[in-house]
Amino acid sequence: MNPAQAAVWFYLLTFAIPWPLDIGLMGLAGLGGWAALSCSPQFPRGALLALLPWVLVIACGHFFSPDPNRSISLSLALVPASAIYLLICGYLERPQLLGLSLLLSLMICLLGGWLLGIALSHPKLTPSEWVLRSGLTAFRVPNDVVFFSILLPFPLALLKAPPRIFWPSALAAVACLITLAVAVAYQSRLAILTAGISSTAFSLTLHREAKPILKMVALLALGVVLIDAAFGFKLLAKFQASWTSRLPLWLAAWNMFLTSPWFGHGLGSYALLYRDYLNWPSLPSWIAFDPRQSPWAHNLYLEVLAELGVLGGIALAFLLISPLRKRPKHPSTPSIRGFAYAAKAALLAFALSAGLELSLWRQWVGLIFLLIIGCITATNKSQEGSL
């Protein structure tokens, strides 16, 4: 294992653990620095350019922020995410990239298994109480378990990768099962929908046939029903609840954007200002309104527009789309092709989840976003004959 791969593995396996010191970040800095000094990076064409506008927009967002301390905390959280992106797309080659599917499956088993164990050992508590009791720093609300659903294509790719060795395949199968079980136990509608989208997208790109996709979706739905039955059909009741509670938060973000369309109101401004832009009496009666303070907009795109304006929206869109513009010019092995499909399916799942829930103020969101972008960018090296 080279130092770049060790840095990625160490950080991803430790970033959510509540250490007294940020051991994950220290390990990332040490091993990443070793990789920078001992290895020559081979960045694909445009890899650094894709990240640059986003970095500049985040930096400019500090000048308009109503709370500099809050904006700095977000920037610091994005530093290890950017380091993971650079290590993956600059230092990892084909064997190390394929190892990421194993790493992400292991991470799902460890973090998801811990959350599931908390739920099973404290059945009388609510999902919100389970999240707090878990102690994991990356999870603050039950919907954070969408983290596992976004990453679901990677264990699916490990299941399909030849040769199918028993223990990696078993680990991948357990990761898939834990993803579904955690989504149902924590009553996350978004996690269930995202799991269906990510797995379907991966199967569609890999097989390009309707029959295996329909079989996979049917098995997924059956698994969800059986697990929900074991927990007393609480997820079914959640699906019957109102879906409109996000609309007031989205309207407030949109009004903030219209007030300052070019540069936004500054990094971290949404949670501080959104109530000033929300006209409560004018909301239709069919909209479910939650009067509690919301720390984020539950829509990554609207939140970026509100805080960073059009320039932030363009930088985010450029980072999101740039690795998808390239198409392979050279034939690739089934393993790396399956990994590339998994990364793109995960990006689709992330993009859709971002429109319904995600925020950069969630510790894992920026990390997983740049990790997925890095994986896609790294697989594009095959176009240049360097992977």
Side-chain angles (χ1 to χ4, degrees):
M1 181 178 289
N2 64 35
Q5 185 182 16
V8 173
W9 276 67
F10 185 81
Y11 185 76
L12 290 179
L13 291 177
T14 58
F15 82 99
I17 300 176
W19 303 106
L21 297 174
D22 197 339
I23 294 178
L25 184 59
M26 294 169 60
L28 176 64
L31 292 169
W34 181 15
L37 293 174
S38 61
C39 307
S40 299
Q42 295 181 348
F43 290 102
R45 202 173 299 124
L48 298 178
L49 181 61
L51 188 61
L52 182 60
W54 181 244
V55 172
L56 293 177
V57 166
I58 291 291
C60 292
H62 289 284
F63 293 102
F64 302 96
S65 175
D67 187 345
N69 291 331
R70 179 176 168 82
S71 63
I72 289 174
S73 68
L74 174 62
S75 298
L76 293 178
L78 292 176
V79 169
S82 301
I84 292 293
Y85 168 83
L86 294 174
L87 288 170
I88 289 175
C89 65
Y91 292 88
L92 300 192
E93 297 183 359
R94 184 174 298 172
Q96 292 83 35
L97 286 175
L98 296 178
L100 283 178
S101 290
L102 183 63
L103 166 63
L104 296 174
S105 299
L106 179 59
M107 185 171 64
I108 290 173
C109 289
L110 294 176
L111 297 180
W114 177 254
L115 289 171
L116 189 59
I118 293 292
L120 293 174
S121 59
H122 300 85
K124 295 183 179 180
L125 299 183
T126 65
S128 297
E129 292 170 327
W130 291 336
V131 171
L132 294 176
R133 187 172 285 269
S134 74
L136 297 176
T137 60
F139 301 91
R140 297 176 58 185
V141 295
N143 263 342
D144 275 326
V145 300
V146 73
F147 167 89
F148 305 110
S149 299
I150 292 172
L151 296 178
L152 182 57
F154 291 101
L156 290 175
L158 188 59
L159 280 172
K160 295 292 184 181
R164 298 178 187 176
I165 305 173
F166 172 73
W167 76 264
S169 299
L171 180 69
V174 172
C176 295
L177 181 60
I178 286 177
T179 296
L180 292 183
V182 170
V184 174
Y186 282 74
Q187 302 170 34
S188 175
R189 296 173 293 185
L190 179 64
I192 291 296
L193 292 173
T194 303
I197 291 169
S198 61
S199 55
T200 302
F202 173 72
S203 298
L204 184 63
T205 54
L206 190 64
H207 296 289
R208 301 181 184 276
E209 297 178 9
K211 188 175 180 179
I213 306 241
L214 293 175
K215 185 186 296 185
M216 184 274 304
V217 172
L219 289 174
L220 176 65
L222 178 61
V224 168
V225 170
L226 292 176
I227 297 171
D228 194 29
F231 283 91
F233 291 105
K234 293 181 180 179
L235 180 65
L236 178 61
K238 187 78 175 289
F239 267 98
Q240 295 171 346
S242 174
W243 291 70
T244 64
S245 59
R246 298 285 190 266
L247 291 178
L249 304 176
W250 297 350
L251 289 172
W254 182 250
N255 289 333
M256 288 178 65
F257 166 67
L258 294 178
T259 303
S260 182
W262 289 107
F263 299 101
H265 294 265
L267 200 61
S269 60
Y270 177 82
L272 304 175
L273 303 177
Y274 83 93
R275 287 180 174 269
D276 297 335
Y277 292 86
L278 181 59
N279 189 1
W280 297 347
S282 66
L283 294 177
S285 58
W286 54 268
I287 291 181
F289 177 66
D290 188 347
R292 295 175 299 177
Q293 176 74 18
S294 177
W296 43 68
H298 295 276
N299 184 305
L300 177 62
Y301 310 114
L302 289 175
E303 187 171 272
V304 167
L305 288 175
E307 294 189 354
L308 302 174
V310 169
L311 297 180
I314 292 174
L316 178 62
F318 182 68
L319 183 57
L320 187 68
I321 296 171
S322 60
L324 301 176
R325 293 182 294 112
K326 293 186 178 181
R327 297 292 182 271
K329 297 177 182 177
H330 305 288
S332 56
T333 65
S335 296
I336 197 66
R337 189 162 55 246
F339 179 83
Y341 289 155
K344 291 175 181 177
L347 183 61
L348 173 63
F350 180 93
L352 295 177
S353 299
L356 296 171
E357 174 69 21
L358 304 187
S359 167
L360 289 175
W361 295 100
R362 317 274 268 274
Q363 180 191 359
W364 61 268
V365 170
L367 172 64
I368 293 303
F369 177 46
L370 288 177
L371 181 146
I372 294 170
I373 294 293
C375 289
I376 298 174
T377 303
T379 58
N380 287 339
K381 286 183 181 180
S382 59
Q383 297 177 350
E384 302 166 12
S386 61
L387 187 63

